[in-house]
PDB file of all heavy atoms in Angstrom:
ATOM      1  N   PHE R  16      -9.620  -2.057   4.068  1.00  0.00           N
ATOM      2  CA  PHE R  16      -9.577  -0.640   4.807  1.00  0.00           C
ATOM      3  C   PHE R  16      -8.924   0.382   3.947  1.00  0.00           C
ATOM      4  O   PHE R  16      -9.332   1.536   3.941  1.00  0.00           O
ATOM      5  CB  PHE R  16      -8.887  -0.730   6.210  1.00  0.00           C
ATOM      6  CG  PHE R  16      -9.609  -1.472   7.123  1.00  0.00           C
ATOM      7  CD1 PHE R  16      -9.002  -1.920   8.448  1.00  0.00           C
ATOM      8  CD2 PHE R  16     -10.955  -1.881   7.110  1.00  0.00           C
ATOM      9  CE1 PHE R  16      -9.652  -2.597   9.347  1.00  0.00           C
ATOM     10  CE2 PHE R  16     -11.631  -2.506   7.963  1.00  0.00           C
ATOM     11  CZ  PHE R  16     -11.040  -2.823   9.227  1.00  0.00           C
ATOM     12  N   VAL R  17      -7.834  -0.036   3.215  1.00  0.00           N
ATOM     13  CA  VAL R  17      -7.132   0.882   2.310  1.00  0.00           C
ATOM     14  C   VAL R  17      -8.059   1.370   1.072  1.00  0.00           C
ATOM     15  O   VAL R  17      -8.301   2.589   0.756  1.00  0.00           O
ATOM     16  CB  VAL R  17      -5.925   0.358   1.719  1.00  0.00           C
ATOM     17  CG1 VAL R  17      -5.286   1.349   0.637  1.00  0.00           C
ATOM     18  CG2 VAL R  17      -4.865   0.177   2.902  1.00  0.00           C
ATOM     19  N   GLN R  18      -8.858   0.368   0.626  1.00  0.00           N
ATOM     20  CA  GLN R  18      -9.771   0.658  -0.477  1.00  0.00           C
ATOM     21  C   GLN R  18     -10.930   1.478  -0.045  1.00  0.00           C
ATOM     22  O   GLN R  18     -11.512   2.305  -0.799  1.00  0.00           O
ATOM     23  CB  GLN R  18     -10.275  -0.587  -1.108  1.00  0.00           C
ATOM     24  CG  GLN R  18      -9.158  -1.398  -1.893  1.00  0.00           C
ATOM     25  CD  GLN R  18      -9.591  -2.714  -2.374  1.00  0.00           C
ATOM     26  OE1 GLN R  18     -10.604  -3.221  -1.940  1.00  0.00           O
ATOM     27  NE2 GLN R  18      -8.802  -3.281  -3.357  1.00  0.00           N
ATOM     28  N   LEU R  19     -11.384   1.312   1.242  1.00  0.00           N
ATOM     29  CA  LEU R  19     -12.435   2.219   1.718  1.00  0.00           C
ATOM     30  C   LEU R  19     -12.022   3.675   1.642  1.00  0.00           C
ATOM     31  O   LEU R  19     -12.846   4.663   1.566  1.00  0.00           O
ATOM     32  CB  LEU R  19     -12.719   1.871   3.168  1.00  0.00           C
ATOM     33  CG  LEU R  19     -13.817   0.693   3.405  1.00  0.00           C
ATOM     34  CD1 LEU R  19     -13.815   0.433   4.887  1.00  0.00           C
ATOM     35  CD2 LEU R  19     -15.067   1.096   2.866  1.00  0.00           C
ATOM     36  N   HIS R  20     -10.734   3.912   1.880  1.00  0.00           N
ATOM     37  CA  HIS R  20     -10.196   5.252   1.840  1.00  0.00           C
ATOM     38  C   HIS R  20     -10.011   5.809   0.376  1.00  0.00           C
ATOM     39  O   HIS R  20      -9.574   6.899   0.162  1.00  0.00           O
ATOM     40  CB  HIS R  20      -8.713   5.463   2.590  1.00  0.00           C
ATOM     41  CG  HIS R  20      -8.995   5.435   4.118  1.00  0.00           C
ATOM     42  ND1 HIS R  20      -9.124   4.213   4.801  1.00  0.00           N
ATOM     43  CD2 HIS R  20      -8.996   6.335   5.000  1.00  0.00           C
ATOM     44  CE1 HIS R  20      -9.130   4.578   6.075  1.00  0.00           C
ATOM     45  NE2 HIS R  20      -9.131   5.988   6.227  1.00  0.00           N
ATOM     46  N   GLY R  21     -10.295   4.958  -0.543  1.00  0.00           N
ATOM     47  CA  GLY R  21     -10.139   5.313  -1.885  1.00  0.00           C
ATOM     48  C   GLY R  21      -8.581   5.196  -2.340  1.00  0.00           C
ATOM     49  O   GLY R  21      -8.154   5.679  -3.362  1.00  0.00           O
ATOM     50  N   GLY R  22      -7.934   4.347  -1.620  1.00  0.00           N
ATOM     51  CA  GLY R  22      -6.469   4.092  -1.868  1.00  0.00           C
ATOM     52  C   GLY R  22      -6.247   2.803  -2.425  1.00  0.00           C
ATOM     53  O   GLY R  22      -7.099   1.918  -2.753  1.00  0.00           O
ATOM     54  N   THR R  23      -4.868   2.509  -2.618  1.00  0.00           N
ATOM     55  CA  THR R  23      -4.433   1.104  -3.045  1.00  0.00           C
ATOM     56  C   THR R  23      -3.352   0.712  -2.278  1.00  0.00           C
ATOM     57  O   THR R  23      -2.707   1.316  -1.453  1.00  0.00           O
ATOM     58  CB  THR R  23      -3.807   1.323  -4.527  1.00  0.00           C
ATOM     59  OG1 THR R  23      -2.636   2.268  -4.478  1.00  0.00           O
ATOM     60  CG2 THR R  23      -4.913   1.834  -5.477  1.00  0.00           C
ATOM     61  N   LEU R  24      -3.209  -0.707  -2.172  1.00  0.00           N
ATOM     62  CA  LEU R  24      -2.091  -1.388  -1.448  1.00  0.00           C
ATOM     63  C   LEU R  24      -1.541  -2.397  -2.283  1.00  0.00           C
ATOM     64  O   LEU R  24      -2.189  -3.143  -2.963  1.00  0.00           O
ATOM     65  CB  LEU R  24      -2.802  -2.073  -0.290  1.00  0.00           C
ATOM     66  CG  LEU R  24      -1.850  -2.979   0.558  1.00  0.00           C
ATOM     67  CD1 LEU R  24      -0.729  -2.244   1.220  1.00  0.00           C
ATOM     68  CD2 LEU R  24      -2.749  -3.666   1.723  1.00  0.00           C
ATOM     69  N   SER R  25      -0.192  -2.318  -2.428  1.00  0.00           N
ATOM     70  CA  SER R  25       0.486  -3.261  -3.271  1.00  0.00           C
ATOM     71  C   SER R  25       1.817  -3.791  -2.461  1.00  0.00           C
ATOM     72  O   SER R  25       2.193  -3.273  -1.399  1.00  0.00           O
ATOM     73  CB  SER R  25       0.970  -2.659  -4.541  1.00  0.00           C
ATOM     74  OG  SER R  25       1.874  -1.473  -4.317  1.00  0.00           O
ATOM     75  N   VAL R  26       2.434  -4.767  -3.079  1.00  0.00           N
ATOM     76  CA  VAL R  26       3.610  -5.290  -2.366  1.00  0.00           C
ATOM     77  C   VAL R  26       4.689  -5.581  -3.470  1.00  0.00           C
ATOM     78  O   VAL R  26       4.472  -6.040  -4.518  1.00  0.00           O
ATOM     79  CB  VAL R  26       3.284  -6.610  -1.569  1.00  0.00           C
ATOM     80  CG1 VAL R  26       2.777  -7.687  -2.553  1.00  0.00           C
ATOM     81  CG2 VAL R  26       4.526  -7.079  -0.763  1.00  0.00           C
ATOM     82  N   GLN R  27       5.961  -5.346  -3.092  1.00  0.00           N
ATOM     83  CA  GLN R  27       7.076  -5.739  -3.821  1.00  0.00           C
ATOM     84  C   GLN R  27       8.021  -6.563  -2.884  1.00  0.00           C
ATOM     85  O   GLN R  27       8.329  -6.103  -1.729  1.00  0.00           O
ATOM     86  CB  GLN R  27       7.862  -4.666  -4.385  1.00  0.00           C
ATOM     87  CG  GLN R  27       7.321  -3.802  -5.445  1.00  0.00           C
ATOM     88  CD  GLN R  27       8.057  -2.722  -6.072  1.00  0.00           C
ATOM     89  OE1 GLN R  27       8.803  -2.004  -5.338  1.00  0.00           O
ATOM     90  NE2 GLN R  27       7.893  -2.455  -7.342  1.00  0.00           N
ATOM     91  N   SER R  28       8.477  -7.758  -3.340  1.00  0.00           N
ATOM     92  CA  SER R  28       9.199  -8.633  -2.374  1.00  0.00           C
ATOM     93  C   SER R  28      10.038  -9.545  -3.116  1.00  0.00           C
ATOM     94  O   SER R  28       9.840  -9.914  -4.315  1.00  0.00           O
ATOM     95  CB  SER R  28       8.179  -9.431  -1.570  1.00  0.00           C
ATOM     96  OG  SER R  28       8.811 -10.250  -0.710  1.00  0.00           O
ATOM     97  N   THR R  29      11.244  -9.869  -2.449  1.00  0.00           N
ATOM     98  CA  THR R  29      12.266 -10.850  -2.987  1.00  0.00           C
ATOM     99  C   THR R  29      12.461 -11.857  -1.854  1.00  0.00           C
ATOM    100  O   THR R  29      12.685 -11.427  -0.673  1.00  0.00           O
ATOM    101  CB  THR R  29      13.568 -10.184  -3.397  1.00  0.00           C
ATOM    102  OG1 THR R  29      13.176  -9.143  -4.298  1.00  0.00           O
ATOM    103  CG2 THR R  29      14.417 -11.189  -3.928  1.00  0.00           C
ATOM    104  N   VAL R  30      12.427 -13.057  -2.229  1.00  0.00           N
ATOM    105  CA  VAL R  30      12.597 -14.155  -1.077  1.00  0.00           C
ATOM    106  C   VAL R  30      14.044 -13.987  -0.553  1.00  0.00           C
ATOM    107  O   VAL R  30      14.965 -13.818  -1.151  1.00  0.00           O
ATOM    108  CB  VAL R  30      12.519 -15.523  -1.834  1.00  0.00           C
ATOM    109  CG1 VAL R  30      12.815 -16.610  -0.775  1.00  0.00           C
ATOM    110  CG2 VAL R  30      10.924 -15.781  -2.281  1.00  0.00           C
ATOM    111  N   ASN R  31      13.916 -14.119   0.850  1.00  0.00           N
ATOM    112  CA  ASN R  31      15.155 -13.965   1.615  1.00  0.00           C
ATOM    113  C   ASN R  31      15.891 -12.569   1.611  1.00  0.00           C
ATOM    114  O   ASN R  31      16.912 -12.371   2.162  1.00  0.00           O
ATOM    115  CB  ASN R  31      16.280 -14.995   1.241  1.00  0.00           C
ATOM    116  CG  ASN R  31      15.740 -16.353   1.516  1.00  0.00           C
ATOM    117  OD1 ASN R  31      15.091 -16.697   2.359  1.00  0.00           O
ATOM    118  ND2 ASN R  31      16.154 -17.321   0.567  1.00  0.00           N
ATOM    119  N   GLU R  32      15.263 -11.527   1.016  1.00  0.00           N
ATOM    120  CA  GLU R  32      15.708 -10.223   0.929  1.00  0.00           C
ATOM    121  C   GLU R  32      14.827  -9.271   1.756  1.00  0.00           C
ATOM    122  O   GLU R  32      15.183  -8.172   2.270  1.00  0.00           O
ATOM    123  CB  GLU R  32      16.053  -9.738  -0.470  1.00  0.00           C
ATOM    124  CG  GLU R  32      17.232 -10.487  -1.014  1.00  0.00           C
ATOM    125  CD  GLU R  32      17.626  -9.898  -2.364  1.00  0.00           C
ATOM    126  OE1 GLU R  32      17.049  -8.911  -2.703  1.00  0.00           O
ATOM    127  OE2 GLU R  32      18.349 -10.668  -3.154  1.00  0.00           O
ATOM    128  N   GLY R  33      13.516  -9.451   1.713  1.00  0.00           N
ATOM    129  CA  GLY R  33      12.588  -8.587   2.303  1.00  0.00           C
ATOM    130  C   GLY R  33      11.413  -8.134   1.469  1.00  0.00           C
ATOM    131  O   GLY R  33      11.355  -8.568   0.272  1.00  0.00           O
ATOM    132  N   SER R  34      10.399  -7.419   2.079  1.00  0.00           N
ATOM    133  CA  SER R  34       9.241  -6.977   1.335  1.00  0.00           C
ATOM    134  C   SER R  34       8.915  -5.516   1.647  1.00  0.00           C
ATOM    135  O   SER R  34       9.403  -4.977   2.679  1.00  0.00           O
ATOM    136  CB  SER R  34       8.012  -7.752   1.913  1.00  0.00           C
ATOM    137  OG  SER R  34       8.325  -9.078   1.800  1.00  0.00           O
ATOM    138  N   THR R  35       8.274  -4.936   0.656  1.00  0.00           N
ATOM    139  CA  THR R  35       7.926  -3.578   0.847  1.00  0.00           C
ATOM    140  C   THR R  35       6.448  -3.326   0.540  1.00  0.00           C
ATOM    141  O   THR R  35       6.136  -3.737  -0.621  1.00  0.00           O
ATOM    142  CB  THR R  35       8.659  -2.602  -0.062  1.00  0.00           C
ATOM    143  OG1 THR R  35      10.125  -2.542   0.295  1.00  0.00           O
ATOM    144  CG2 THR R  35       8.300  -1.045   0.120  1.00  0.00           C
ATOM    145  N   PHE R  36       5.648  -2.976   1.453  1.00  0.00           N
ATOM    146  CA  PHE R  36       4.201  -2.828   1.266  1.00  0.00           C
ATOM    147  C   PHE R  36       3.919  -1.295   1.074  1.00  0.00           C
ATOM    148  O   PHE R  36       4.387  -0.465   1.814  1.00  0.00           O
ATOM    149  CB  PHE R  36       3.350  -3.292   2.373  1.00  0.00           C
ATOM    150  CG  PHE R  36       3.301  -4.834   2.414  1.00  0.00           C
ATOM    151  CD1 PHE R  36       4.286  -5.606   3.014  1.00  0.00           C
ATOM    152  CD2 PHE R  36       2.109  -5.514   1.951  1.00  0.00           C
ATOM    153  CE1 PHE R  36       4.216  -6.962   3.108  1.00  0.00           C
ATOM    154  CE2 PHE R  36       2.013  -6.784   1.967  1.00  0.00           C
ATOM    155  CZ  PHE R  36       3.117  -7.530   2.603  1.00  0.00           C
ATOM    156  N   THR R  37       3.267  -0.934  -0.006  1.00  0.00           N
ATOM    157  CA  THR R  37       3.022   0.512  -0.449  1.00  0.00           C
ATOM    158  C   THR R  37       1.593   0.859  -0.442  1.00  0.00           C
ATOM    159  O   THR R  37       0.779   0.183  -1.018  1.00  0.00           O
ATOM    160  CB  THR R  37       3.623   0.817  -1.745  1.00  0.00           C
ATOM    161  OG1 THR R  37       5.029   0.441  -1.828  1.00  0.00           O
ATOM    162  CG2 THR R  37       3.371   2.189  -2.127  1.00  0.00           C
ATOM    163  N   ILE R  38       1.262   1.793   0.318  1.00  0.00           N
ATOM    164  CA  ILE R  38      -0.180   2.345   0.557  1.00  0.00           C
ATOM    165  C   ILE R  38      -0.183   3.689  -0.177  1.00  0.00           C
ATOM    166  O   ILE R  38       0.685   4.536   0.142  1.00  0.00           O
ATOM    167  CB  ILE R  38      -0.633   2.569   2.005  1.00  0.00           C
ATOM    168  CG1 ILE R  38      -0.391   1.228   2.800  1.00  0.00           C
ATOM    169  CG2 ILE R  38      -1.957   2.948   2.104  1.00  0.00           C
ATOM    170  CD1 ILE R  38      -0.441   1.364   4.248  1.00  0.00           C
ATOM    171  N   ARG R  39      -1.114   3.974  -1.050  1.00  0.00           N
ATOM    172  CA  ARG R  39      -1.435   5.193  -1.688  1.00  0.00           C
ATOM    173  C   ARG R  39      -2.638   5.690  -1.139  1.00  0.00           C
ATOM    174  O   ARG R  39      -3.760   5.071  -1.551  1.00  0.00           O
ATOM    175  CB  ARG R  39      -1.277   5.147  -3.160  1.00  0.00           C
ATOM    176  CG  ARG R  39       0.208   4.880  -3.550  1.00  0.00           C
ATOM    177  CD  ARG R  39       0.373   4.833  -5.179  1.00  0.00           C
ATOM    178  NE  ARG R  39       0.358   6.261  -5.734  1.00  0.00           N
ATOM    179  CZ  ARG R  39      -0.592   6.797  -6.531  1.00  0.00           C
ATOM    180  NH1 ARG R  39      -1.700   6.040  -6.756  1.00  0.00           N
ATOM    181  NH2 ARG R  39      -0.468   7.965  -6.899  1.00  0.00           N
ATOM    182  N   LEU R  40      -2.699   6.823  -0.554  1.00  0.00           N
ATOM    183  CA  LEU R  40      -3.996   7.467  -0.038  1.00  0.00           C
ATOM    184  C   LEU R  40      -4.165   8.801  -0.703  1.00  0.00           C
ATOM    185  O   LEU R  40      -3.281   9.583  -0.678  1.00  0.00           O
ATOM    186  CB  LEU R  40      -3.993   7.655   1.403  1.00  0.00           C
ATOM    187  CG  LEU R  40      -3.844   6.334   2.229  1.00  0.00           C
ATOM    188  CD1 LEU R  40      -3.787   6.667   3.808  1.00  0.00           C
ATOM    189  CD2 LEU R  40      -5.077   5.306   2.123  1.00  0.00           C
ATOM    190  N   PRO R  41      -5.431   9.100  -1.069  1.00  0.00           N
ATOM    191  CA  PRO R  41      -5.756  10.476  -1.577  1.00  0.00           C
ATOM    192  C   PRO R  41      -5.731  11.488  -0.528  1.00  0.00           C
ATOM    193  O   PRO R  41      -6.220  11.212   0.631  1.00  0.00           O
ATOM    194  CB  PRO R  41      -7.050  10.335  -2.223  1.00  0.00           C
ATOM    195  CG  PRO R  41      -7.734   9.199  -1.396  1.00  0.00           C
ATOM    196  CD  PRO R  41      -6.609   8.313  -1.106  1.00  0.00           C
ATOM    197  N   ILE R  42      -5.098  12.682  -0.766  1.00  0.00           N
ATOM    198  CA  ILE R  42      -5.006  13.850   0.256  1.00  0.00           C
ATOM    199  C   ILE R  42      -6.245  14.633   0.105  1.00  0.00           C
ATOM    200  O   ILE R  42      -6.451  15.207  -0.919  1.00  0.00           O
ATOM    201  CB  ILE R  42      -3.886  14.633  -0.053  1.00  0.00           C
ATOM    202  CG1 ILE R  42      -2.506  13.750   0.080  1.00  0.00           C
ATOM    203  CG2 ILE R  42      -3.683  15.815   0.966  1.00  0.00           C
ATOM    204  CD1 ILE R  42      -2.437  13.093   1.492  1.00  0.00           C
ATOM    205  N   ARG R  43      -7.101  14.611   1.184  1.00  0.00           N
ATOM    206  CA  ARG R  43      -8.328  15.403   1.068  1.00  0.00           C
ATOM    207  C   ARG R  43      -8.094  16.678   1.977  1.00  0.00           C
ATOM    208  O   ARG R  43      -8.721  16.628   2.995  1.00  0.00           O
ATOM    209  CB  ARG R  43      -9.550  14.402   1.627  1.00  0.00           C
ATOM    210  CG  ARG R  43      -9.758  13.247   0.588  1.00  0.00           C
ATOM    211  CD  ARG R  43     -10.767  12.413   1.295  1.00  0.00           C
ATOM    212  NE  ARG R  43     -10.903  11.149   0.386  1.00  0.00           N
ATOM    213  CZ  ARG R  43     -11.490  10.075   0.585  1.00  0.00           C
ATOM    214  NH1 ARG R  43     -12.118   9.923   1.817  1.00  0.00           N
ATOM    215  NH2 ARG R  43     -11.498   9.149  -0.216  1.00  0.00           N
ATOM    216  N   THR R  44      -7.341  17.611   1.495  1.00  0.00           N
ATOM    217  CA  THR R  44      -7.067  18.768   2.171  1.00  0.00           C
ATOM    218  C   THR R  44      -6.610  19.919   1.263  1.00  0.00           C
ATOM    219  O   THR R  44      -6.225  19.519   0.099  1.00  0.00           O
ATOM    220  CB  THR R  44      -6.006  18.434   3.340  1.00  0.00           C
ATOM    221  OG1 THR R  44      -5.886  19.585   3.991  1.00  0.00           O
ATOM    222  CG2 THR R  44      -4.749  18.056   2.681  1.00  0.00           C
TER     223      THR R  44
END
């Protein structure tokens, strides 16, 4: 779904500390 928008989805994570999912979407405005 993110790629359909022309964007990217990535993750940074450390075991037992947590995760951060990052979405980058192009602004069409």
